[in-house]
């Protein structure tokens, strides 16, 4: 427990990112299973992707206002564009294991029992897919979407290392 507390103190944005991710996971699961069980049972990958998309919209605001509130000086439109790109890649990473399980490995009715199908769906999408996407998203959010202020370099600045010049007075 002390290790978790030390980690949280050393990297508070990571802990907040995990909390936001947990909320996003709940949103994803409610929408995914609501659609999968009652609306589009024949399209489990679509149901999961829609749940992820809704959770992603919610997580953008939570990450901007809470997880990474001490970072980034980008214009909101630019930041949102980067967030969308990272999120689209995340949806693909999150959905790929479920797609592979269902359509690559054939873990669906009538090839397997309904219970086996559902366990395989849960392990491949919400568990494996979410873990892969979570690692990618945290890395990408830190690197591109909500970088530390010191990491944002104004390439048009006369003192920027990329221009190789200094201001003259």
């Amino acid at each position: 427990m002390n290790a978790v507390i030390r980690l949280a103190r050393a990297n508070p944005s990571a802990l907040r990112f995990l909390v936001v991710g947990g909320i996003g996971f709940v949103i994803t699961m409610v929408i995914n299973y609501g659609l999968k069980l009652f609306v589009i049972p024949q399209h489990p990958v679509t149901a999961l992707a829609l749940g992820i998309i809704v959770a992603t919209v919610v997580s953008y605001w939570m990450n901007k206002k809470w997880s990474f509130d001490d970072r980034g000086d980008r214009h909101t439109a630019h930041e949102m564009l980067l967030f969308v790109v990272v999120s689209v890649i995340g949806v693909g990473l999150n959905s790929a294991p479920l797609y592979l399980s269902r359509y690559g490995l054939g873990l669906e009715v009538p090839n397997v029992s309904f219970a086996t199908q559902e366990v395989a769906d849960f392990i491949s999408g919400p568990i494996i897919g979410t873990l892969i996407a979570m690692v990618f998203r945290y890395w990408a959010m830190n690197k591109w979407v909500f970088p530390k202020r010191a990491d944002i370099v104004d390439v048009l600045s006369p003192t920027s290392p990329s221009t190789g010049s200094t201001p003259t007075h």
Side-chain angles (χ1 to χ4, degrees):
M1 187 63 159
N2 286 337
V4 173
I5 293 170
R6 281 194 305 269
L7 181 63
R9 285 184 181 151
N11 198 353
S13 67
L15 182 62
R16 292 187 300 248
F17 181 81
L18 289 173
V19 170
V20 170
I23 292 167
F25 182 81
V26 170
I27 292 168
T28 300
M29 291 300 92
V30 168
I31 292 171
N32 174 45
Y33 281 103
L35 290 172
K36 186 176 163 181
L37 295 175
F38 304 112
V39 181
I40 52 172
Q42 66 280 17
H43 299 287
V45 177
T46 301
L48 179 63
L50 290 172
I52 294 166
I53 290 167
V54 172
T56 298
V57 171
V58 172
S59 74
Y60 169 76
W61 293 109
M62 292 180 74
N63 278 312
K64 179 174 178 56
K65 300 298 182 188
W66 188 50
S67 299
F68 301 104
D69 65 335
D70 62 333
R71 298 174 181 217
D73 287 329
R74 298 185 191 280
H75 296 295
T76 301
H78 184 233
E79 186 179 86
M80 287 177 76
L81 175 64
L82 291 171
F83 189 88
V84 166
V85 169
V86 167
S87 296
V88 166
I89 294 168
V91 169
L93 290 172
N94 209 142
S95 301
L98 175 59
Y99 184 88
L100 177 65
S101 172
R102 274 284 181 117
Y103 308 115
L105 300 176
L107 297 175
E108 63 179 328
V109 173
N111 302 332
V112 297
S113 70
F114 180 75
T116 301
Q117 170 187 288
E118 293 307 305
V119 169
D121 283 0
F122 185 76
I123 291 171
S124 61
I127 303 297
I128 295 171
T130 298
L131 289 173
I132 292 168
M134 178 183 63
V135 170
F136 168 75
R137 281 186 182 119
Y138 184 71
W139 171 78
M141 297 290 173
N142 269 317
K143 179 95 174 145
W144 292 305
V145 182
F146 304 113
K148 293 180 181 173
R149 285 184 174 97
D151 293 343
I152 298 175
V153 176
D154 180 4
V155 295
L156 300 177
S157 169
T159 59
S160 172
S162 63
T163 62
S165 63
T166 57
T168 57
H169 297 294

